[in-house]
Amino acid sequence: MDLRRTPLGKILPQSHWLSRAVSAAVCLLVLSLSIAIPVERALAQSATDIPTSVRIQGDTRITKLGDMDFGDILPGDTGGTITVAVDGSVSTTGSVIPVASTRQPASFEIERQILADYPTYVGPDGSDTIELVHATDPGARMTLRNFTTDFNRTIFFGLPAYFFRNTYDFRIGGTLDVAPDQLAGSYRGSFTVIIDYN
């Protein structure tokens, strides 16, 4: 990308806007093991006669529906942040200017067995950070942090929203730090989504 600096230090793109995209890598814990040992037995029954059962969860999956995308932005004179919330709304701080383009949180869908699988969202969470790396200059980086999710939304009586569903979708948002002299171009990174099945 051809750039020029004015005497005031502004970055003027001549042909393209800054573009940010985050690819979400997926990690899923799919094996759950439980051993049930009945406690009722006849007095004459020895310990070696205790029945044992095991259940291995199967066919529980997570699918990525869409990448987290911050769209096109201009860093401005002082830089700042841009946040994409789980509902798709966008907010900025500092001199960051969002340019008209598509922005969205990362979105996923899980499959579960009703009354058998009880998924728990493990991460990423607000304390995690990842680095996005410039497509052609690995020295240029941005930090993605303050992850949020709507996985834990509820329905009536505080039941998890997934409770009566075989499939359940959820979203993950985050905040991107933008430097005032951020190099123009595309930045990419990845994060791991972990769902634990109890």
Side-chain angles (χ1 to χ4, degrees):
M1 177 179 215
D2 187 14
L3 295 176
R4 284 190 188 161
R5 288 185 179 274
T6 67
L8 297 176
K10 288 186 178 179
I11 298 176
L12 301 177
Q14 291 186 328
S15 58
H16 297 88
W17 298 107
L18 282 167
S19 176
R20 318 278 188 249
V22 179
S23 300
V26 176
C27 174
L28 174 64
L29 303 176
V30 295
L31 179 65
S32 176
L33 184 66
S34 61
I35 298 176
I37 301 176
V39 293
E40 294 180 10
R41 55 184 180 271
L43 279 174
Q45 193 175 31
S46 70
T48 56
D49 296 326
I50 297 174
T52 303
S53 64
V54 65
R55 178 178 67 88
I56 298 178
Q57 280 184 343
D59 206 28
T60 306
R61 296 187 301 271
I62 183 170
T63 303
K64 183 182 72 172
L65 302 177
D67 291 333
M68 186 182 294
D69 191 347
F70 288 90
D72 299 339
I73 62 175
L74 295 172
D77 293 334
T78 60
T81 66
I82 181 168
T83 299
V84 175
V86 293
D87 64 1
S89 63
V90 176
S91 60
T92 62
T93 65
S95 61
V96 174
I97 302 170
V99 181
S101 63
T102 301
R103 290 178 185 82
Q104 65 184 25
S107 56
F108 302 87
E109 182 179 77
I110 60 170
E111 294 182 18
R112 61 177 292 271
Q113 299 172 3
I114 295 177
L115 301 180
D117 298 331
Y118 300 95
T120 302
Y121 177 84
V122 177
D125 61 25
S127 63
D128 293 321
T129 62
I130 65 160
E131 283 193 327
L132 279 64
V133 180
H134 192 278
T136 58
D137 183 352
R141 296 173 179 244
M142 305 176 78
T143 299
L144 176 60
R145 58 185 174 83
N146 288 359
F147 290 93
T148 58
T149 183
D150 63 356
F151 184 90
N152 297 317
R153 60 191 189 270
T154 60
I155 52 176
F156 55 89
F157 301 113
L159 284 174
Y162 64 73
F163 196 76
F164 296 108
R165 302 175 62 183
N166 287 317
T167 61
Y168 179 66
D169 62 283
F170 65 97
R171 284 148 293 281
I172 299 174
T175 297
L176 187 65
D177 291 327
V178 184
D181 57 350
Q182 197 73 54
L183 181 66
S186 295
Y187 290 74
R188 292 191 177 273
S190 63
F191 56 86
T192 301
V193 175
I194 303 174
I195 304 297
D196 187 13
Y197 287 87
N198 302 315

